[in-house]
Amino acid sequence: MSCNILAIESSCDETSAAVISDGKILNNIVATQSVHEKYGGVVPELASRAHQQHLVPVVSEALKSSGVDKSALSAVAFTRGPGLMGALLVGVSFAKSFAHALDLPLIEVNHMEAHVLAHFIEKPSPSFPFICLTVSGGHTQLVRVSSHLEMEILGETLDDAVGEAFDKIAKILGLPYPGGPQLDKLAGNGDPDAFTFPLSDMKGLDFSFSGIKTAVLYFLKKNLKEDPDFIARNLEDICASVQQTLIAMLMNKLIRACNESEIREVAIAGGVSANSGLRKALKESAGEQGWKVYLPKLEYCTDNAAMVAMAAHYKYQAGQFCGLDISPLARMKIGNHGKK
């Protein structure tokens, strides 16, 4: 009998459901929340309400398009955290109710672990152990991955995530939401050496991205006093210079982590792994450092239920289930399981 799992993702502003059968992703249904665009960022309360509106249609479509009837499901998986508490609560509550009604086991999934395991949706996939640079709007982590269910954080941001730095700087420049992809697009036509911004270098393998936001802000204020059209005339060069600085911060730590661990299998994951500059830098470093590099498909970079389903597949095989008394965790680190 096939093992069919319904997976639900609701950690931020993407409502998603997917069905996996014997380790094969059958679909990946995602409903994007456009309501946040006019606010220039995700509004938690509006995200929760949108999840309530989207979840039933998304799950219905996932089951229908997969050809798997709910009576043939083996388990229900959901993102427990990290994420926005209200958004997580919608997904967790739905998963618990759905599983309880059908007397199915529940599987909790760590959102960040799911990003890493997105690399196993399709081949080629990394060999263990590998280093994964996980970068998103809320997290920046260097993770040593020893198996599908064994991960260790080697370093992480001590303040802002790199995705937040991209988005906040883009907002300062007047770019539309979501700003990160817009900045990346403009950077492609700019001179990355036009302007110089400071590289923060924390001890060990940790990151800090709060300083560059401040540096860019003061840089722009100074130049705008002298030339009100400074941003308009130099927008592409500013974007390219900012992007080069942020990527350099990431790559410096990634190279250090690989050298210290003597691991040459390298992957990236998370929303910022869609950034064209980062992907290019990783490919270039592959030749220089002797790495074997793995880049996820763009559809598996941003938040999606397919990656949750993939993680759930391995947890199902290991018999790692949870009870109906499980609650969401807004702050949940890799390895932080079984806590109420």
Side-chain angles (χ1 to χ4, degrees):
M1 185 176 178
S2 296
C3 172
N4 303 312
I5 302 172
L6 168 68
I8 295 167
E9 156 61 21
S10 68
S11 64
C12 191
D13 62 338
E14 305 283 6
T15 311
S16 184
V19 176
I20 185 170
S21 181
D22 295 330
K24 180 181 179 181
I25 297 294
L26 301 184
N27 53 26
N28 186 36
I29 311 301
V30 181
T32 301
Q33 301 179 2
S34 58
V35 66
H36 307 286
E37 292 177 4
K38 62 181 179 181
Y39 299 101
V42 178
V43 181
E45 177 60 27
L46 295 180
S48 301
R49 294 180 184 180
H51 283 306
Q52 290 178 315
Q53 296 171 343
H54 295 162
L55 195 49
V56 171
V58 163
V59 169
S60 297
E61 177 59 26
L63 290 172
K64 180 180 178 181
S65 63
S66 71
V68 176
D69 188 80
K70 60 186 178 183
S71 62
L73 290 174
S74 307
V76 178
F78 61 92
T79 299
R80 186 184 181 190
L84 301 176
M85 180 58 80
L88 289 167
L89 188 60
V90 174
V92 173
S93 298
F94 182 92
K96 287 163 65 173
S97 301
F98 195 91
H100 181 61
L102 295 174
D103 194 25
L104 294 172
L106 274 172
I107 302 174
E108 60 158 322
V109 172
N110 182 301
H111 181 77
M112 302 312 297
E113 292 180 2
H115 271 305
V116 174
L117 293 175
H119 281 282
F120 295 90
I121 294 175
E122 295 180 354
K123 294 186 180 300
S125 53
S127 299
F128 300 114
F130 66 91
I131 300 293
C132 187
L133 174 65
T134 310
V135 281
S136 67
H139 301 84
T140 304
Q141 298 177 336
L142 278 167
V143 182
R144 178 190 172 107
V145 187
S146 300
S147 74
H148 297 113
L149 300 176
E150 293 177 275
M151 303 182 196
E152 176 191 0
I153 298 175
L154 302 178
E156 59 187 334
T157 182
L158 300 180
D159 42 52
D160 302 330
V162 67
E164 181 181 352
F166 270 112
D167 288 339
K168 291 269 179 79
I169 292 172
K171 191 172 184 178
I172 292 171
L173 292 171
L175 301 180
Y177 173 84
Q182 299 294 330
L183 190 152
D184 180 26
K185 184 177 180 180
L186 290 166
N189 297 317
D191 177 6
D193 298 315
F195 305 105
T196 301
F197 298 105
L199 286 165
S200 67
D201 187 17
M202 307 299 291
K203 289 183 179 180
L205 296 175
D206 289 327
F207 302 88
S208 172
F209 295 101
S210 61
I212 187 173
K213 293 191 302 182
T214 304
V216 171
L217 179 62
Y218 284 118
F219 166 81
L220 293 175
K221 282 185 175 181
K222 177 180 179 296
N223 284 280
L224 286 171
K225 282 184 179 179
E226 302 170 1
D227 177 8
D229 296 322
F230 178 77
I231 292 179
R233 291 192 303 101
N234 297 279
L235 183 58
E236 291 178 339
D237 287 346
I238 296 170
C239 290
S241 299
V242 167
Q243 178 151 296
Q244 177 174 260
T245 304
L246 289 170
I247 291 172
M249 291 183 194
L250 295 171
M251 294 305 300
N252 288 344
K253 296 291 187 176
L254 178 58
I255 291 171
R256 185 182 301 179
C258 291
N259 288 339
E260 290 180 0
S261 63
E262 299 184 345
I263 293 175
R264 291 295 176 263
E265 294 272 319
V266 180
I268 55 172
V272 181
S273 65
N275 181 277
S276 63
L278 178 58
R279 294 169 86 93
K280 180 181 178 183
L282 199 64
K283 290 177 181 177
E284 290 175 349
S285 293
E288 298 169 359
Q289 302 293 327
W291 294 345
K292 191 170 183 180
V293 166
Y294 301 87
L295 306 174
K297 278 190 174 181
L298 295 181
E299 66 185 290
Y300 300 133
C301 291
T302 53
D303 296 345
N304 65 90
M307 67 182 193
V308 178
M310 199 74 249
H313 166 72
Y314 295 113
K315 298 192 78 170
Y316 185 94
Q317 289 184 323
Q320 295 184 7
F321 305 109
C322 61
L324 290 173
D325 59 342
I326 199 80
S327 59
L329 289 176
R331 295 183 179 181
M332 185 180 185
K333 285 193 175 184
I334 284 174
N336 181 201
H337 300 289
K339 296 184 180 180
K340 307 286 179 65

